[in-house]
Amino acid sequence: MEMNCFNHRVFLLTLLLPIVVILVEGQGTRVGFYSTSCPKVESIVSSTVQSHFKSDPTIAPGLLRMHFHDCFVQGCDGSILIDGPNAEKTAPPNQLLRGYEVIDDAKTQLESVCPGVVSCADILALAARDSVVLTSGASWAVPTGRRDGTVSQSSDANNLPGFRDTVDVQKQKFADKGLNTQDLVTLVGGHTIGTAACQFFSYRLYNFTSTGADPSINPAFVSQLQALCPQNGDGSRRIGLDNGSANKFDTSFFANLRDGKGILESDQRLWTDNSTKTFVQRFLGVRGLFGLTFNVEFGKSMVKMSNIGVKTGTAGEIRKVCSKVN
């Protein structure tokens, strides 16, 4: 009787498994989506990013940020790439994004070998991964199969995570996209590469309280930042988000948060709030806590993020030019 019951379950599982696989792949993306339709897609994107990176290393954090900003508005559909007077890229949080020329270059090359096949959204997702690798981070398998969106409005970018956001606000914005608190801390860890303009944090250095600077900043670090970003100085001057290691993808960003050297207020709050501090400590290997490997977890969280609101199947389109809707 038990054997018959077991066989019946196996039979049902055999029937259901193909349906489950179809449902999973039909709802989203998969690794190797272009394996037959455009087998060189990853090598072309990778070589393009590498070529631009050699002449301008700041391209790497630029592409990583761009992918993040794309996914948090209308899903990961390449809508950040569309030109227009009121397009997403014109919104205040997006005006300093860079790397568009890298995506355009890769798209031009791909159109010559696989016309009308590879989406701009997928090129951006691959370029973000390649940017991490070029800055000494670990690689991960990027699921592809996204299609490009046709709507891009600056007003939709109003709810992007902001540099003044409290941890509760940050957690809610991430939760709205299906990302948890660990994903939040992990993805903010992407600030281990790149810079921020003085205008986004200098308010923390002067008259933040009645007694002076933001008390969460290491006092010795305040004077360093004031020298770099003097009051009423050049607000466009850029400072490394990961003090001492702004060009290398590593865990020193989290060590800086521990030491009161977070540049953005929203970043430093990850250390002062207990719900996020635990994850920072786990990335730092604090004794007594179950450790987390940043490179591994970053890849996992990036895959989750890159599947936010994706358009697949017959939704959206495959743009011929990334900055223009067909």
Side-chain angles (χ1 to χ4, degrees):
M1 181 64 182
E2 287 182 2
M3 182 59 71
N4 288 339
C5 183
F6 174 77
N7 289 338
H8 181 63
R9 286 173 184 164
V10 171
F11 176 71
L12 282 176
L13 185 60
T14 304
L15 285 177
L16 289 172
L17 192 57
I19 298 172
V20 171
V21 172
I22 291 169
L23 283 173
V24 169
E25 294 199 343
Q27 288 171 350
T29 56
R30 70 176 187 271
V31 174
F33 181 84
Y34 299 110
S35 58
T36 55
S37 59
C38 193
K40 292 185 178 179
V41 58
E42 296 208 21
S43 62
I44 289 174
V45 173
S46 177
S47 63
T48 304
V49 175
Q50 187 169 6
S51 174
H52 285 265
F53 178 80
K54 283 181 179 178
S55 58
D56 181 8
T58 66
I59 282 298
L63 290 169
L64 184 57
R65 306 274 189 281
M66 189 188 295
H67 182 43
F68 179 91
H69 283 226
D70 182 41
C71 291
F72 264 70
V73 180
Q74 297 284 350
C76 310
D77 65 351
S79 52
I80 187 67
L81 305 168
I82 298 174
D83 286 339
N86 297 302
E88 276 176 46
K89 61 171 62 173
T90 68
N94 293 331
Q95 287 175 2
L96 296 177
L97 290 178
R98 44 199 319 281
Y100 296 105
E101 70 278 12
V102 182
I103 306 303
D104 290 340
D105 188 357
K107 179 62 172 175
T108 299
Q109 294 181 55
L110 286 166
E111 283 298 300
S112 68
V113 293
C114 313
V117 173
V118 181
S119 69
C120 300
D122 276 343
I123 295 172
L124 181 51
L126 291 167
R129 186 269 313 274
D130 295 337
S131 296
V132 170
V133 173
L134 285 169
T135 50
S136 303
S139 186
W140 65 89
V142 177
T144 45
R146 300 165 192 78
R147 287 171 65 85
D148 296 320
T150 57
V151 176
S152 183
Q153 299 176 328
S154 61
S155 57
D156 290 335
N158 291 335
N159 206 38
L160 277 165
F163 58 91
R164 290 178 184 256
D165 286 351
T166 64
V167 168
D168 283 343
V169 169
Q170 292 182 69
K171 287 198 293 188
Q172 188 57 58
K173 287 180 178 180
F174 274 69
D176 289 345
K177 303 298 180 184
L179 301 170
N180 59 33
T181 303
Q182 181 176 322
D183 294 318
L184 161 63
V185 177
T186 304
L187 292 171
V188 170
H191 285 170
T192 181
I193 55 173
T195 60
C198 290
Q199 62 184 302
F200 297 120
F201 64 87
S202 58
Y203 69 91
R204 302 179 66 205
L205 310 177
Y206 308 96
N207 305 314
F208 187 83
T209 66
S210 59
T211 56
D214 182 344
S216 68
I217 307 177
N218 184 316
F221 194 48
V222 171
S223 57
Q224 291 181 45
L225 292 178
Q226 287 176 334
L228 294 168
C229 300
Q231 198 165 15
N232 302 318
D234 181 6
S236 64
R237 183 175 184 181
R238 303 192 71 82
I239 307 300
L241 283 165
D242 184 1
N243 182 56
S245 181
N247 299 314
K248 185 177 181 182
F249 201 90
D250 55 23
T251 58
S252 66
F253 170 77
F254 297 115
N256 276 321
L257 297 187
R258 177 197 61 202
D259 298 339
K261 295 181 178 181
I263 300 297
L264 300 181
E265 185 178 14
S266 55
D267 288 356
Q268 189 58 53
R269 281 175 164 163
L270 299 183
W271 180 258
T272 57
D273 186 288
N274 286 331
S275 67
T276 48
K277 180 179 181 178
T278 300
F279 292 106
V280 176
Q281 291 176 315
R282 290 173 70 184
F283 283 131
L284 290 173
V286 172
R287 186 176 296 177
L289 293 175
F290 181 72
L292 290 170
T293 303
F294 178 50
N295 267 312
V296 173
E297 298 306 323
F298 191 79
K300 291 178 183 177
S301 290
M302 282 293 286
V303 169
K304 282 180 70 174
M305 185 192 77
S306 73
N307 277 320
I308 295 173
V310 293
K311 295 167 179 64
T312 57
T314 56
E317 63 181 14
I318 302 297
R319 275 182 238 140
K320 296 175 183 176
V321 177
C322 290
S323 60
K324 299 176 183 178
V325 174
N326 292 347

